[in-house]
Amino acid sequence: MSELILKPGPVLLWRKWEYDEVTEEGGYVDLDITTAAHEYLFESITIEKDVLLADIFRLLDAAPILIAILRRDFSDELLAEARKGASSSWSHDYAPDGIEFLELYQTWQLNTATREYDPIHRLDFHGVGYLLREDFDYGNGNIYPAGTRIHWSVSTTHLRELLLIPIRYNQVVSICENDLSAKKYGHELEKIQLMGINLGQVLHGILWELSWHGGPETQSQFVEELKAQAEDINNHRPDAVSAIDPYGEEGIFGQLDEPGFQAFFQHLGAHSKKRDCFHST
């Protein structure tokens, strides 16, 4: 069996079994294929524990054909930003609202009426907070108990603040009800283990999330617009829509289904705990 192994640095190894006809013995051989990573996009990969987000961008630098392949996900702009180095404001110190590691994972949607799954290819990517040492009040009634972790969106986080954070892959997949007419719509039905992912999924999943609002410049503009809107609401601007009761008839999300509301805010901050498929522990 052959597989890719991504090590810090980065070093991308192709581990394969070879048989020596002279000694009549076989064994695994590791080949460094870092500069040819684009040739192995669809091979299964293992990510070692200490691989950082910065290593992903160093891999793009080492195998520049990857940049062209991933250009739709703003690989050029993100790489240019990563080359500036990590932000000096980031640290590994414990913080209840901090990120301990970045996680690749999947949540599948199953329509139990039609037996259709969606999606099953693209990996999601978010930040996972430190194991809380005490209850943490995030505000608006969201209290996260000690011993749990908060899952954070990183789509509006500046790339340079994330570069020195390690990356992990979570093999556990939550399967959630996707039938709008089902009583359990939006709830978790079961969990499964997804053992094999490939290099292409890893790269695409990371860049997809980091470029959710476009390149770094567009993302910064989006964040500023969000801050301005929040300030307008906090200052009770006359023509601002009330967000005091977002689910009420007059609320900004009053006409939306609750799972849709939760999914939207996964990209803006901590995940909500209201639905099993969007929980934060």
Side-chain angles (χ1 to χ4, degrees):
M1 178 180 178
S2 302
E3 69 168 338
L4 289 174
I5 301 173
L6 182 60
K7 294 176 171 287
V11 176
L12 185 63
L13 298 179
W14 176 238
R15 177 168 292 173
K16 64 177 183 176
W17 180 269
E18 287 191 352
Y19 178 76
D20 191 321
E21 295 183 355
V22 176
T23 63
E24 296 185 343
E25 294 180 350
Y28 283 103
V29 176
D30 288 345
L31 302 177
D32 186 343
I33 51 90
T34 307
T35 58
H38 54 277
E39 299 177 11
Y40 295 80
L41 284 174
F42 305 109
E43 301 292 345
S44 295
I45 188 170
T46 297
I47 303 173
E48 290 203 341
K49 182 178 179 181
D50 295 326
V51 171
L52 308 177
L53 180 61
D55 291 320
I56 296 297
F57 289 97
R58 294 182 187 126
L59 184 62
L60 298 184
D61 255 335
I65 293 179
L66 290 174
I67 303 172
I69 295 172
L70 297 162
R71 189 161 288 147
R72 288 180 59 200
D73 296 310
F74 297 87
S75 56
D76 280 318
E77 294 90 335
L78 290 170
L79 179 57
E81 193 67 19
R83 284 171 177 158
K84 297 176 184 178
S87 169
S88 58
S89 62
W90 187 85
S91 76
H92 284 280
D93 296 335
Y94 169 83
D97 58 351
I99 294 175
E100 183 177 5
F101 59 90
L102 299 166
E103 184 179 68
L104 289 156
Y105 69 102
Q106 279 194 329
T107 299
W108 293 0
Q109 307 298 325
L110 170 63
N111 186 316
T112 53
T114 62
R115 304 305 301 174
E116 295 174 321
Y117 284 94
D118 181 68
I120 59 172
H121 299 296
R122 183 173 60 80
L123 297 177
D124 292 311
F125 187 59
H126 63 188
V128 178
Y130 291 90
L131 192 67
L132 292 175
R133 300 173 184 173
E134 61 281 315
D135 293 351
F136 176 64
D137 187 352
Y138 184 69
N140 297 323
N142 290 314
I143 298 178
Y144 300 92
T148 62
R149 296 178 184 269
I150 303 175
H151 293 165
W152 301 94
S153 168
V154 295
S155 66
T156 56
T157 304
H158 197 287
L159 172 61
R160 296 175 63 192
E161 297 179 18
L162 303 171
L163 289 175
L164 298 182
I165 303 180
I167 295 172
R168 300 180 188 176
Y169 168 59
N170 188 347
Q171 296 177 341
V172 178
V173 178
S174 294
I175 299 180
C176 303
E177 178 61 73
N178 200 35
D179 180 3
L180 283 168
S181 62
K183 291 182 179 179
K184 290 187 176 181
Y185 173 66
H187 287 270
E188 182 179 273
L189 301 174
E190 62 175 314
K191 295 183 188 298
I192 63 170
Q193 295 278 334
L194 181 64
M195 305 303 292
I197 58 171
N198 59 52
L199 176 60
Q201 286 178 289
V202 169
L203 297 176
H204 179 243
I206 291 173
L207 295 186
W208 172 277
E209 185 66 23
L210 294 177
S211 63
W212 180 261
H213 302 291
E217 183 177 346
T218 304
Q219 182 194 69
S220 296
Q221 293 174 356
F222 175 77
V223 171
E224 291 304 315
E225 290 173 2
L226 279 181
K227 290 179 179 178
Q229 292 172 13
E231 185 177 352
D232 285 340
I233 292 173
N234 290 335
N235 292 334
H236 303 291
R237 197 185 68 188
D239 58 339
V241 178
S242 174
I244 295 175
D245 179 13
Y247 293 110
E249 293 184 1
E250 302 300 323
I252 191 169
F253 298 107
Q255 302 304 313
L256 298 181
D257 63 281
E258 186 174 319
F261 172 78
Q262 306 301 338
F264 176 77
F265 272 95
Q266 286 185 56
H267 297 286
L268 300 181
H271 295 201
S272 170
K273 298 185 294 184
K274 291 192 175 182
R275 292 270 182 173
D276 288 343
C277 287
F278 305 106
H279 70 149
S280 308
T281 55

